[in-house]
Amino acid sequence: MTTDVDADTQPPGPSKAPTVASPITGAPVKLFSRQWFSGILLRYSMVIVVLLVIAYFSYRSARFATPDNLVTILVAAAPFALIALGQTLVILTGGIDLSVGSVIAVSAMAGAATAKANPGQVWMTVSVAMAVGLAFGCINGVLVSRINVPPFIATLGTLTAGSGVAYVIGGGAPINGLPPEFGSIANTKILGLQIPVLLMIIGIVALAVIMKRTSYGLRVYAVGGNRNAAELAGINAKNVLFSVYAFSGLLAGLSGVMLASRVISGPPNLGQGYELDAIAAVVIGGASLMGGRGSIWGTTLGLFMIMTLNNGLDILVVPAYWQDVIKGVLIVAAVAVDVWSSRRRT
C-alpha cells in the first residue's frame, strides 16, 4: 500500500541555473556560462579595447590622463566626427564615400576665398563651404542612385575631380592672409566648448536619435539590408541613397571650413587621406561594409579609438609609419570580428 507524501517533504531536486538571452544570437544561455561570457566579450569588445588602450597610455605617460589632453583629443576628433557620421549613413546603405577628403579641401578653399573677399562675413563663409560640400554630395547621390554607378567608382571620380578643383580655386597655392574673423569659426567657445566640439556632440546625439527613432533611419537600414525587399515594401530606395550621399557631402563641407579656420588658412591638400580614417572609424565601430548593420554610437566609439591611439602614440613618440601599421591591423581585426559575429548570428 502506498501513501501520498506531501511535496513539501520531498528532497529538493537540482536547481537550474538562471538563463538569459545570448548577447549575440538572442537564444537562451546559462548566466555566467562560457557562451554568455563569449557573447559579452564579442558584443562589447570595442568598449573593452578602448578601456584597455586608455589604461595602457595612462600607465605609460602621466600626461595622457589629464583634462587638457582630453580636450586636445576632443578638438582633434571633432572634424573627423562630422565626416564619420556622414560616412556611417552611406555605409549603412551598403555604399562608400571616398570623396570626403577632397570635398573637405574644396570646401576649405571655397570658404577661405569667400572670407578673403568678404572680411567679417562669417556666415557667408560657412554657408559657401557647406554649399560646395552639398553640391559634391548631390553629384555623388545622382551618380549612385539615378545612374547606378557603383559607389566606389562614383566617389573615386569625385575624389580625383575635387582634388583638382581645390588647386584651381587657389591657383595651385594655399590661400593665406585671411581675416581674424575666419579663425573665430573654429576657435570660438560656447558653454566652455569650442564650436567644432559642440557641433560634434549635437551631431552625434541628433543622428543617433534620428537613426533609432524615426522612419528615415528605418528606411536607411532597410535599403542597406535588402534593397529589393525595401522597394517592395514601398520605400523609395533612390531617394534614400541620394539623401545619404548629399548629407555626407554637407558634413564634409562643414568639416572643411572648420579645419581651415583652425589654421586660418586654405591649404589645397587639406583633408588628404581623411576618408580612410572616417571609414576606419565606422568599420571599427561595428558597421558592416555590406550595409544594414551599424550605429552612430558604434562609429563614435570607433572614432575615439582612433583618436586616442593617435594621441597616445604621439605622446609616446611612436613614428608615424608604425601608427599606420597599428591602425591597419585594427581595421582588419574589426572586419574579422564582424565576419565572426555574423556567422555566430546565423
Side-chain angles (χ1 to χ4, degrees):
M1 181 176 178
T2 60
T3 59
D4 293 334
V5 180
D6 194 325
D8 292 338
T9 65
Q10 294 286 345
S15 60
K16 292 184 178 180
T19 60
V20 294
S22 168
I24 300 299
T25 63
V29 295
K30 291 182 179 179
L31 189 63
F32 303 120
S33 65
R34 186 181 67 178
Q35 292 87 348
W36 181 82
F37 274 114
S38 64
I40 289 292
L41 289 175
L42 190 59
R43 182 170 183 178
Y44 300 104
S45 57
M46 188 48 57
V47 176
I48 296 169
V49 170
V50 170
L51 293 177
L52 289 175
V53 168
I54 292 174
Y56 173 76
F57 285 132
S58 300
Y59 170 75
R60 289 293 305 275
S61 174
R63 177 184 161 196
F64 179 82
T66 61
D68 287 343
N69 193 53
L70 174 60
V71 172
T72 300
I73 294 174
L74 289 175
V75 171
F80 283 101
L82 294 176
I83 58 176
L85 291 175
Q87 193 75 248
T88 302
L89 269 62
V90 172
I91 289 178
L92 283 174
T93 62
I96 197 165
D97 189 353
L98 299 176
S99 69
V100 290
S102 289
V103 174
I104 285 174
V106 177
S107 302
M109 295 296 285
T114 303
K116 194 167 185 176
N118 302 275
Q121 300 295 325
V122 175
W123 284 109
M124 180 186 295
T125 299
V126 175
S127 299
V128 167
M130 293 179 66
V132 170
L134 179 61
F136 272 85
C138 289
I139 292 171
N140 286 332
V142 169
L143 291 173
V144 173
S145 67
R146 309 296 176 180
I147 308 178
N148 294 323
V149 178
F152 184 91
I153 301 300
T155 57
L156 181 62
T158 48
L159 164 69
T160 306
S163 179
V165 172
Y167 280 93
V168 168
I169 294 174
I175 299 177
N176 298 316
L178 300 176
E181 293 85 358
F182 186 72
S184 68
I185 297 173
N187 298 311
T188 299
K189 289 187 177 181
I190 299 177
L191 301 176
L193 297 173
Q194 290 188 7
I195 289 178
V197 176
L198 192 61
L199 287 175
M200 174 182 66
I201 295 172
I202 293 173
I204 290 171
V205 174
L207 266 184
V209 172
I210 290 172
M211 297 306 295
K212 193 74 174 178
R213 302 293 183 184
T214 68
S215 60
Y216 175 76
L218 294 177
R219 290 198 296 271
V220 171
Y221 279 104
V223 171
N226 190 320
R227 179 173 176 176
N228 292 332
E231 289 177 338
L232 288 174
I235 295 174
N236 191 325
K238 291 183 178 180
N239 286 349
V240 171
L241 289 173
F242 177 84
S243 68
V244 297
Y245 284 96
F247 188 65
S248 178
L250 179 68
L251 290 183
L254 181 58
S255 178
V257 73
M258 292 295 174
L259 285 166
S261 172
R262 183 186 297 175
V263 297
I264 317 181
S265 176
N269 61 346
L270 186 67
Q272 187 174 8
Y274 281 26
E275 65 277 356
L276 300 180
D277 279 336
I279 295 170
V282 179
V283 173
I284 290 173
S288 172
L289 290 173
M290 302 302 293
R293 185 157 52 85
S295 69
I296 298 299
W297 295 117
T299 294
T300 304
L301 193 60
L303 173 72
F304 279 99
M305 176 68 185
I306 293 175
M307 293 295 109
T308 301
L309 269 177
N310 288 343
N311 179 267
L313 294 173
D314 284 340
I315 289 176
L316 298 182
V317 198
V318 176
Y321 49 83
W322 275 112
Q323 295 187 28
D324 291 338
V325 171
I326 292 171
K327 284 191 288 186
V329 170
L330 267 179
I331 294 172
V332 174
V335 174
V337 169
D338 175 66
V339 172
W340 184 40
S341 174
S342 298
R343 290 177 177 174
R344 289 285 300 273
R345 287 186 179 93
T346 56

